[in-house]
Amino acid sequence: MDSYNSSSSYPYGGSYGYPHVPPSNQQYPHSSTAPYPPPSSAPYPPPNSAPYPPSQSPYPSSYPSPYNPPSHSHSGPLPYNPYPSAAAPPPPQRTSHSGPLEYGYPPPPHSGPLPYPYQGYPVPPVPYSTPPPPQPYHQHNGSFPYGSSHYQFPHTEPLPPTDSHSDVPSRVNSFTGYQRQDSSSSVGVGSTTGHDSVNYYTSPSYPSVYPHLDDQLANMNLCESHPSAPASPPAPAAPTVLNPPAKYQSLSGKYDDEGSLYGYPNSSFSSNYEPSYSGQLDSSTRPVLVHSPSSVGSPNSQDYQMVPLVNGKGSLKVLLLHGNLDIWVHEAKNLPNMDMFHKTLGDMFYRLPGNSSKITSDPYVSISVNNAVVGRTYVISNSENPVWKQHFSVPVAHYAAEVHFLVKDSDVLGSQLIGVVAVSVADLYSRDKVEGLFPILLTNGKPCKLGAVLGISIRYTPIEMLDIYHHGVGAGPQYYGVPATYFPLRRGGTVNLYQDAHVPDGCLPNIMLDHGKQYVHGKCWNDIFNAIRQARRLVYITGWSVWHKVRLVRDNDSAPDSSLGDLLRSKSQEGVRVLLLVWDDPSSRSIMGYKTDGVMQTHDEETRRFFKHSSVQEVGTIYTHHQKSVLVDADAGNNQRRIIAFLGGLDLCDGRYDTPEHPILRTLKTVHEDDYHNPTYAGNVVGCPREPWHDLHCKIDGPGAYDVLTNFEERWLKASKPHGIKKLKMSYDDALLRIERMPEIMGAGDAPCVSDNSPESWHVQIFRSIDSNSVRGFPKDPKDATAKNLVCGKNVLIDMSIHTAYVTAIRAAQHYIYIENQYFIGSSYNWGSHKDLGANNLIPMEIALKIAAKIKSHERFAAYIVVPMWPEGNPTGAATQRILFWQHKTMQMMYETIYKALVEVGLEAAFLPQDYLNFYCLGNREAISTDDISERASVANTPQALSRKNRRFMIYVHSKGMIVDDEYVILGSANINQRSMEGTRDTEIAMGAYQPHHTWARNLSNPHGEVYGYRMSLWAEHLGVIEDCFTSPESLECVRRVKTMGEMNWKQFAADEVTEMRGHLLKYPVEVDRTGKVRSLPGCETFPDVGGQIIGSFLAIQENLTI
């Protein structure tokens, strides 16, 4: 629960647009021979420079096509195996280790063409003529530049839908009245803040374009709740979409409820959450864009006109959009003046002599798919004819009937809907591109104003046509990492991967890698301690919590007795610049002698007092400063220094020091004597189990470390500058070292590199979730955001590249995915209920669709997901129960998607959903000693007494990482939930890395590099043994074996008899039936000893703090 304490603003409510800029020396898209642009001539380009520079637009003033598509061993058993053999399916081919594995544990005591009915009036033909626009603003709001991959999208034949849902159910009583949302308010329990929503006129007729001002004010409200969307019905056979005439329709057919508009404004604590429009506009005679035969396919043609089109009755089909949407939002014309109050005043002052100004709308466009906002333009102030020329490349994994373009007027307290343009997904399936001028309509199908139009272009590229989908991560020498990110891929570094804070010698088995190398189990906190001790110029630390009393080294008698605080203070006295960037918990305060520890117990006030006269900087924010990194200078030889960086999930605070054995009781009087941590209990905790802690971390040495340094510098410059009244009390003294002025410290371009010819070389890329409120250096003008691959929000620019990296890696996966994460919540737009929650990150849906695609291709694929047994804290508490409820919804959605794929290919009788996807948690239990007999006789029924009696507790999974195909790893501070992925809430940092000599593309077989060794080491820790099948984690044998072992471990953990556990991986205690339904485990509906429903509960008001 380290990141769940409060609220902040978010501009989209689940927007996942990521900018991408095509290279300046290349027409968009990239050619088939070079799917990525060549890198800059400089060996280490600065952030957001090459290889993704902005390009000048090759298009004239008309609506051009933004595309120009090209043509088309271990050998021998371990001494201990606590698991009996499972019923073995036919064994797959195995890849053996090149040497023996020795495990350090002693033996235990026991073993279609769609008609569009509309009613309304036609719009007279409007010839399209565009004045010369300004330079286009190209923004790819997507993870990938593959929107026009070197696979050519068919032009002559429509693409048949691969999946569909039945007709959208009737949606009634959706919006009645004039709504204004997206307003800000203070955060507090029970409070609701506004959201960027819609406003309509619901009267059947419109005597004028502008209703009377009094009528509008009477119908205005700041926030309104709406019921959740109905569950998506089962998918019928895919319809056939015929070639339609060369017409581009501005709006698609209706949803059975004529004249209603359906949407989901979320009554949550997110002050800038922007719900999408997911409704239907109604008109039987509707204006559409028509291409004349001479203009079709001509990118420079201006031969567009608006003409009426009469459609038959019918309902839209919901189809699967899985791939990329390439979208251009060009301009709008003749927008109405939505600033009615200002218009009334302006009409008076406008007549005054010398006054020629006019106050009017501040428009922007929001793009939504299935109630999830996937992109938005920047706001153009005071314009009824705005020109954006903004480009979005958006990854989508949504079932939807239409893509909606909501034209809105931005106000100080929120926004108003001007009107909507809708493009049917069926059109996107059957046409290469939909583009042109589209009328902006109200809910009744009438234009918001005569002549009001929006110029857009949209193209859908299915996932199968994206190159990365077929070739994995790091494919080929021209792979340039995850595109459209703030930091580019850095080559030639080294990476150390850590599990837990410490791994004692002999604790884990020997794992042999390629080229006869043995995997080295790193000692994370030992390495951090030594790096700080050896620093000569700088030590920069960021953390959610930094506790000055924590001891980093504890494993032997010669370990130094100094605490972290003592070490840092001594380095500062040596002249080393020591800077700490720590989250300022709003609930911990020290005012006039009155002290509060804070809800999250981060020790921020204690640490501040300890470093009162040193360079300590705190960040005050409601959402948490969640990055965890340590930067130091290190010896580079020849009297020079280089920068190295540590980052991941480990904070330097209490409760984090642990080893792969994860003791719960036997170290309470030794290693953990002064470091007890277990927030599950309230009251007396004497003799209670500690909360074991499992985490992932890494060290980066090489050019990638300098990007972590850039992140710290940008954050420090923002956080340390005095604001408000502090400007009067203190001068601004920037404590950052200017390393470019220090010749002994190497720059990024001079840092020692490992040659790409070496099998030890790593390629590293840094990702973030962060916005311009937390960093200094982002452009002030949103038009300039493209050059730095940033996303536009409401008065904020956002770096959302962590989500981009996850989606890219999942799409590239060919064999398996292994995830360890503190939370796993997302893709709420596809849940059976609570679709409007706003947890719209794509990660769970992308995994489910990856598995579904492999099933349909009759290929093996597996996903292993390890989460905590429950979120840290009281498992019976409302917030914890809510998180478990959202997690259950996410699981349910994924298993149902997998089951439907099995049914589609007729394999539902042969395989189970859990043959492809399984969820696990970690737990430990220690055998009884003679000192514990009296405690076993206790009759108390409190969580503390039961835990002492049964000697068991969960191992808290605080990891934030993913391994793909034994070739690619993502590690960092970001959870898989909305808070960590949005970029405007918790600040996060992560790295993605691979070894180019150890990929499937290079070896054409299982890679056995460091990533493979890391995954095998984690499995050895969790399962207490290594078996041959573990080398092929995608195999059915491995999936079923690990599942069986997890089920046995859970039975041992939950049993009345207290026995020593050697394996810690537990099957997550839910039941998944053959059809993918997720229910409580019979006889185990609550967590042992501590209580709380395992599948969670949702009783209170809906909010977004827990997503």
Side-chain angles (χ1 to χ4, degrees):
M1 290 286 290
D2 61 330
S3 62
Y4 292 89
N5 194 34
S6 49
S7 173
S8 175
S9 63
Y10 180 55
Y12 300 162
S15 141
Y16 285 101
Y18 308 97
H20 168 65
V21 185
S24 57
N25 60 349
Q26 196 171 352
Q27 293 289 327
Y28 190 87
H30 310 304
S31 69
S32 60
T33 58
Y36 300 91
S40 167
S41 57
Y44 304 108
N48 53 66
S49 65
Y52 314 116
S55 66
Q56 300 301 316
S57 173
Y59 311 124
S61 59
S62 65
Y63 289 148
S65 168
Y67 283 86
N68 183 16
S71 322
H72 310 338
S73 111
H74 71 274
S75 57
L78 296 173
Y80 166 62
N81 186 341
Y83 308 101
S85 299
Q93 294 181 349
R94 297 173 180 173
T95 304
S96 64
H97 289 276
S98 56
L101 291 175
E102 299 176 0
Y103 201 70
Y105 287 124
H110 48 82
S111 47
L114 304 174
Y116 305 93
Y118 283 90
Q119 295 178 359
Y121 52 84
V123 175
V126 179
Y128 174 54
S129 176
T130 308
Q135 275 297 343
Y137 172 41
H138 308 294
Q139 175 170 328
H140 283 240
N141 264 29
S143 303
F144 321 97
Y146 315 108
S148 60
S149 70
H150 44 267
Y151 296 94
Q152 183 174 0
F153 195 93
H155 290 260
T156 56
E157 294 294 330
L159 179 70
T162 57
D163 200 356
S164 70
H165 280 191
S166 59
D167 295 357
V168 179
S170 175
R171 300 177 173 184
V172 297
N173 299 328
S174 54
F175 285 89
T176 58
Y178 187 97
Q179 300 180 19
R180 259 181 96 113
Q181 295 187 320
D182 203 19
S183 60
S184 301
S185 71
S186 60
V187 177
V189 177
S191 69
T192 58
T193 61
H195 313 289
D196 196 20
S197 183
V198 290
N199 64 296
Y200 310 98
Y201 311 115
T202 56
S203 56
S205 62
Y206 290 81
S208 67
V209 175
Y210 303 104
H212 194 275
L213 180 60
D214 292 341
D215 294 337
Q216 294 189 60
L217 296 176
N219 290 326
M220 182 184 300
N221 61 74
L222 290 179
C223 187
E224 181 173 322
S225 298
H226 294 276
S228 299
S232 300
T240 301
V241 180
L242 302 179
N243 266 326
K247 302 172 183 176
Y248 294 94
Q249 303 176 5
S250 64
L251 289 164
S252 305
K254 66 168 187 175
Y255 292 133
D256 298 343
D257 174 30
E258 219 167 278
S260 71
L261 186 82
Y262 193 93
Y264 308 108
N266 178 8
S267 297
S268 69
F269 295 159
S270 176
S271 62
N272 279 332
Y273 173 79
E274 180 176 308
S276 73
Y277 163 88
S278 62
Q280 195 58 42
L281 301 176
D282 190 23
S283 174
S284 59
T285 306
R286 38 184 274 190
V288 299
L289 176 75
V290 175
H291 288 261
S292 68
S294 62
S295 70
V296 175
S298 173
N300 300 327
S301 171
Q302 296 187 16
D303 190 11
Y304 297 95
Q305 60 179 348
M306 306 297 301
V307 296
L309 174 69
V310 179
N311 288 286
K313 301 267 183 184
S315 298
L316 288 177
K317 296 290 184 180
V318 175
L319 305 174
L320 175 63
L321 280 176
H322 187 207
N324 286 353
L325 291 178
D326 190 90
I327 300 170
W328 284 82
V329 178
H330 294 282
E331 64 177 332
K333 293 185 174 184
N334 302 316
L335 295 180
N337 186 345
M338 302 299 290
D339 291 344
M340 302 303 297
F341 180 73
H342 293 98
K343 180 180 184 299
T344 303
L345 295 178
D347 287 343
M348 294 187 297
F349 291 105
Y350 187 71
R351 298 185 180 93
L352 296 177
N355 188 1
S356 58
S357 62
K358 179 182 178 181
I359 299 175
T360 186
S361 301
D362 303 320
Y364 69 96
V365 178
S366 177
I367 309 165
S368 72
V369 182
N370 190 17
N371 195 44
V373 178
V374 297
R376 61 170 283 167
T377 66
Y378 57 89
V379 176
I380 296 181
S381 299
N382 215 40
S383 176
E384 295 179 11
N385 296 281
V387 177
W388 290 282
K389 290 290 182 179
Q390 196 164 346
H391 188 204
F392 304 84
S393 183
V394 182
V396 285
H398 302 72
Y399 287 97
E402 295 175 316
V403 177
H404 292 147
F405 296 80
L406 288 76
V407 184
K408 298 186 177 184
D409 171 38
S410 178
D411 292 332
V412 175
L413 297 179
S415 65
Q416 303 178 64
L417 183 74
I418 296 175
V420 183
V421 168
V423 176
S424 77
V425 174
D427 284 348
L428 297 177
Y429 263 79
S430 60
R431 297 167 181 165
D432 175 48
K433 181 172 59 177
V434 175
E435 68 172 345
L437 282 171
F438 296 80
I440 303 169
L441 304 185
L442 297 171
T443 179
N444 62 354
K446 297 181 180 181
C448 63
K449 177 184 176 182
L450 289 178
V453 292
L454 178 68
I456 58 172
S457 169
I458 180 170
R459 174 185 299 207
Y460 169 54
T461 303
I463 192 72
E464 297 82 4
M465 300 176 66
L466 303 180
D467 182 59
I468 196 172
Y469 187 75
H470 303 279
H471 300 298
V473 174
Q478 298 304 313
Y479 180 74
Y480 287 92
V482 179
T485 60
Y486 191 85
F487 297 107
L489 183 73
R490 305 296 192 182
R491 302 171 182 270
T494 61
V495 173
N496 293 69
L497 301 171
Y498 302 109
Q499 59 197 94
D500 305 312
H502 185 65
V503 178
D505 294 334
C507 177
L508 293 173
N510 297 324
I511 299 172
M512 299 307 297
L513 311 179
D514 284 341
H515 310 295
K517 181 181 178 181
Q518 181 173 304
Y519 180 77
V520 177
H521 307 283
K523 303 174 188 290
C524 182
W525 275 16
N526 279 41
D527 289 355
I528 291 176
F529 177 87
N530 290 327
I532 295 174
R533 187 172 59 177
Q534 296 166 14
R536 295 294 179 266
R537 296 298 182 188
L538 62 88
V539 176
Y540 295 167
I541 298 176
T542 63
W544 176 81
S545 174
V546 175
W547 192 35
H548 66 282
K549 293 183 180 180
V550 71
R551 290 185 298 116
L552 300 181
V553 180
R554 324 181 186 184
D555 61 334
N556 55 60
D557 295 336
S558 60
D561 193 35
S562 61
S563 66
L564 175 63
D566 294 333
L567 175 63
L568 295 177
R569 192 154 57 181
S570 68
K571 297 307 294 185
S572 179
Q573 292 170 355
E574 293 174 11
V576 176
R577 188 62 53 88
V578 179
L579 304 180
L580 273 64
L581 198 59
V582 186
W583 181 49
D584 184 8
D585 184 352
S587 63
S588 65
R589 285 291 177 263
S590 178
I591 303 175
M592 299 180 66
Y594 178 75
K595 301 173 184 178
T596 59
D597 291 335
V599 175
M600 309 308 293
Q601 299 180 356
T602 62
H603 306 289
D604 58 321
E605 291 296 331
E606 292 180 55
T607 302
R608 181 182 295 110
R609 289 191 296 271
F610 183 85
F611 292 110
K612 186 174 182 180
H613 301 292
S614 61
S615 300
V616 177
Q617 177 68 43
E618 296 81 30
V619 177
T621 180
I622 294 180
Y623 278 107
T624 65
H625 157 56
H626 203 232
Q627 296 179 345
K628 307 148 197 319
S629 66
V630 176
L631 288 146
V632 300
D633 65 296
D635 183 24
N638 299 320
N639 295 318
Q640 289 192 303
R641 312 291 292 178
R642 70 188 192 277
I643 301 298
I644 62 174
F646 298 83
L647 66 82
L650 278 168
D651 284 297
L652 303 180
C653 65
D654 57 327
R656 270 51 172 180
Y657 185 91
D658 215 335
T659 65
E661 289 95 342
H662 298 294
I664 59 175
L665 290 166
R666 55 175 58 109
T667 60
L668 292 182
K669 296 182 180 180
T670 55
V671 173
H672 295 102
E673 183 177 11
D674 299 320
D675 190 10
Y676 180 88
H677 176 78
N678 196 331
T680 301
Y681 305 127
N684 183 16
V685 295
V686 174
C688 291
R690 60 178 289 269
E691 180 180 77
W693 197 273
H694 176 67
D695 226 321
L696 307 179
H697 218 74
C698 71
K699 180 178 79 172
I700 302 170
D701 192 350
Y706 288 80
D707 289 336
V708 184
L709 175 62
T710 297
N711 168 76
F712 183 90
E713 291 173 337
E714 291 180 343
R715 298 228 44 213
W716 181 271
L717 290 172
K718 185 74 172 184
S720 62
K721 188 174 182 178
H723 299 279
I725 194 172
K726 291 184 178 180
K727 290 182 178 180
L728 305 176
K729 299 190 297 181
M730 59 184 293
S731 61
Y732 177 49
D733 179 18
D734 179 15
L736 285 172
L737 292 180
R738 295 290 183 259
I739 63 171
E740 67 276 6
R741 301 176 185 175
M742 305 175 68
E744 71 273 24
I745 299 183
M746 292 179 169
D750 302 319
C753 293
V754 180
S755 169
D756 269 358
N757 295 324
S758 170
E760 306 302 315
S761 176
W762 284 80
H763 293 177
V764 181
Q765 194 168 8
I766 302 302
F767 312 111
R768 293 188 298 186
S769 292
I770 204 166
D771 66 21
S772 51
N773 291 321
S774 297
V775 293
R776 181 178 175 184
F778 283 7
K780 294 184 178 180
D781 189 338
K783 294 181 181 179
D784 300 328
T786 300
K788 295 195 173 184
N789 291 323
L790 301 173
V791 178
C792 291
K794 186 177 178 65
N795 303 319
V796 71
L797 297 180
I798 312 165
D799 180 352
M800 304 169 70
S801 52
I802 293 179
H803 182 267
T804 308
Y806 268 94
V807 172
T808 304
I810 294 167
R811 288 183 168 188
Q814 302 300 309
H815 305 279
Y816 83 92
I817 291 169
Y818 175 68
I819 289 175
E820 292 185 6
N821 207 282
Q822 183 183 2
Y823 299 95
F824 194 81
I825 299 170
S827 307
S828 60
Y829 54 82
N830 201 50
W831 293 355
S833 61
H834 301 280
K835 291 174 178 283
D836 60 329
L837 181 66
N840 292 328
N841 72 79
L842 302 185
I843 294 170
M845 189 64 174
E846 287 284 357
I847 295 173
L849 291 176
K850 169 64 71 172
I851 295 172
K854 291 294 185 178
I855 290 172
K856 294 173 186 178
S857 299
H858 298 275
E859 300 177 37
R860 278 300 308 165
F861 193 90
Y864 305 82
I865 301 174
V866 182
V867 295
M869 197 177 297
W870 67 84
E872 189 177 31
N874 178 9
T876 64
T880 305
Q881 281 291 293
R882 196 168 303 172
I883 293 170
L884 291 166
F885 185 78
W886 306 141
Q887 179 178 278
H888 171 249
K889 290 293 182 184
T890 303
M891 290 181 181
Q892 181 67 73
M893 178 273 296
M894 297 178 72
Y895 279 120
E896 286 181 350
T897 301
I898 294 168
Y899 174 70
K900 289 176 183 178
L902 289 170
V903 171
E904 186 174 330
V905 295
L907 294 176
E908 70 275 16
F911 298 101
L912 301 171
Q914 290 186 102
D915 288 335
Y916 301 89
L917 169 67
N918 284 280
F919 287 84
Y920 297 93
C921 58
L922 301 178
N924 197 13
R925 198 166 196 179
E926 293 179 358
I928 305 172
S929 67
T930 56
D931 297 334
D932 300 307
I933 295 176
S934 59
E935 187 60 47
R936 288 284 295 170
S938 172
V939 295
N941 198 32
T942 64
Q944 291 96 317
L946 291 172
S947 297
R948 287 193 295 263
K949 172 184 174 183
N950 294 314
R951 302 181 64 85
R952 61 188 171 196
F953 204 79
M954 72 163 174
I955 299 170
Y956 193 61
V957 178
H958 192 259
S959 314
K960 295 97 168 51
M962 180 172 74
I963 299 173
V964 176
D965 293 347
D966 283 341
E967 66 179 5
Y968 189 80
V969 59
I970 296 177
L971 292 181
S973 66
N975 298 312
I976 297 179
N977 61 4
Q978 206 63 18
R979 290 178 59 119
S980 287
M981 294 295 162
E982 282 187 352
T984 59
R985 302 186 186 186
D986 298 344
T987 61
E988 311 285 4
I989 190 168
M991 73 91 186
Y994 67 98
Q995 293 181 286
H997 282 258
H998 301 282
T999 65
W1000 279 86
R1002 185 181 181 100
N1003 300 337
L1004 302 179
S1005 63
N1006 300 64
H1008 280 186
E1010 296 285 341
V1011 178
Y1012 161 80
Y1014 190 46
R1015 195 263 304 170
M1016 292 290 280
S1017 181
L1018 286 166
W1019 283 27
E1021 172 185 340
H1022 298 333
L1023 291 166
V1025 65
I1026 286 182
E1027 298 187 4
D1028 284 340
C1029 65
F1030 293 178
T1031 61
S1032 300
E1034 75 278 10
S1035 67
L1036 185 60
E1037 179 191 12
C1038 183
V1039 171
R1040 290 180 174 175
R1041 180 61 177 151
V1042 173
K1043 176 174 175 287
T1044 298
M1045 296 165 78
E1047 290 171 341
M1048 294 173 59
N1049 287 338
W1050 172 259
K1051 290 179 181 178
Q1052 184 181 359
F1053 180 85
D1056 290 336
E1057 181 185 2
V1058 178
T1059 55
E1060 188 82 12
M1061 293 189 68
R1062 191 59 58 184
H1064 300 142
L1065 188 74
L1066 317 178
K1067 185 72 176 65
Y1068 198 82
V1070 293
E1071 181 183 67
V1072 183
D1073 68 14
R1074 299 193 66 92
T1075 65
K1077 302 297 182 185
V1078 182
R1079 304 183 180 91
S1080 297
L1081 195 64
C1084 189
E1085 289 77 15
T1086 61
F1087 295 109
D1089 300 336
V1090 296
Q1093 294 184 52
I1094 293 174
I1095 63 172
S1097 61
F1098 175 68
L1099 300 175
I1101 61 170
Q1102 183 166 302
E1103 44 69 46
N1104 67 0
L1105 293 180
T1106 56
I1107 62 172

